[in-house]
Amino acid sequence: RWQIAQKAEANHETHTELTEDTDWTERWLDEQFDLQLDHLYHKDILEVGCGTGMIHAFDFPCNNVGIDPLLLDLDERFATSSAQLLSGIGESLPFSDGIFDVVIYYNVLDHTRNPEKTVSECHRVLADDGELFLSVNVFDAHSMLRRVADYVDRPHPHHFTVSEVRSM
C-alpha cells in the first residue's frame, strides 16, 4: 500500500516546484502555530517528508535539513534549496539522538508506512527542549469509512482521527 501511495504522491502536481516563498511560510507558521519566523533563527531544523516543502524557503540563519523518500533523484528542482537534503524515511532517521531543536511534520504522518515508528523517531532526534510542529489531516468519520478511504485516497495510506493523532 505504501509503494502505491508513494507513486501517487510523486506524480502529484504539488511536487513540481520548490516552496521558496518565505512570506507563505511565515503566514503558515503564524496561522498554524502562532509562531514568528525569527523564532527559528539559529536553530537546527528537520522537516520530515520535506518533498518540495517549506524547508526550502528557510533563507535565514539556521541549519535546515530535509528528508524524504522521494528525493532519490535529486534533480534541478532542488538546486536552489538552502536545505541539506537526504533521501530517507521517517521511520528510520539517520541522525543522532537529540540533535534537532525543531522537527516539522507538515502533511506527512498520513503518508508513512508506520506512523507510530515515525513519531518515535521524531522523539528520538528531537532535543529535550525541542519543539515538534505537526500538521496532519484528520477525519472523525466512522472507522469503516476511514478504511475505505485508505484504499480510495491513494496518496494517503492512513486516515486518522484527532484522538489517534493525540495518542501517538
Side-chain angles (χ1 to χ4, degrees):
R1 173 78 179 105
W2 185 78
Q3 282 95 0
I4 292 169
Q6 289 301 290
K7 185 176 181 181
E9 192 66 22
N11 294 320
H12 196 273
E13 64 189 36
T14 59
H15 295 290
T16 58
E17 294 181 18
L18 293 186
T19 301
E20 295 181 298
D21 185 346
T22 304
D23 292 336
W24 176 89
T25 301
E26 190 165 18
R27 280 191 313 275
W28 184 84
L29 289 169
D30 183 40
E31 291 168 7
Q32 296 290 312
F33 301 107
D34 194 27
L35 181 73
Q36 301 305 305
L37 206 55
D38 62 355
H39 177 76
L40 300 176
Y41 287 12
H42 306 290
K43 300 221 174 157
D44 294 315
I45 305 166
L46 171 65
E47 184 176 6
V48 177
C50 68
T52 55
M54 76 176 73
I55 199 75
H56 309 289
F58 289 1
D59 191 20
F60 51 83
C62 69
N63 176 31
N64 52 337
V65 179
I67 188 166
D68 193 298
L70 298 177
L71 296 179
L72 291 173
D73 298 315
L74 293 176
D75 59 29
E76 64 276 356
R77 286 178 294 178
F78 299 101
T80 60
S81 178
S82 62
Q84 175 189 350
L85 301 175
L86 299 149
S87 179
I89 59 173
E91 293 89 344
S92 182
L93 297 173
F95 307 109
S96 299
D97 296 355
I99 65 166
F100 290 101
D101 302 307
V102 174
V103 175
I104 299 169
Y105 280 78
Y106 174 59
N107 188 30
V108 71
L109 198 58
D110 49 344
H111 294 267
T112 64
R113 279 186 181 157
N114 184 329
E116 291 83 5
K117 176 68 174 158
T118 303
V119 171
S120 175
E121 278 292 279
C122 167
H123 185 263
R124 183 184 65 76
V125 301
L126 198 56
D128 288 339
D129 60 347
E131 298 173 281
L132 168 64
F133 297 106
L134 170 69
S135 176
V136 63
N137 294 324
V138 292
F139 304 90
D140 283 325
H142 188 276
S143 62
M144 182 180 289
L145 290 174
R146 288 187 298 117
R147 279 195 298 271
V148 169
D150 288 347
Y151 293 97
V152 175
D153 183 11
R154 293 196 175 267
H156 300 90
H158 307 284
H159 295 85
F160 304 113
T161 63
V162 171
S163 63
E164 288 170 337
V165 172
R166 286 188 177 138
S167 72
M168 280 188 269

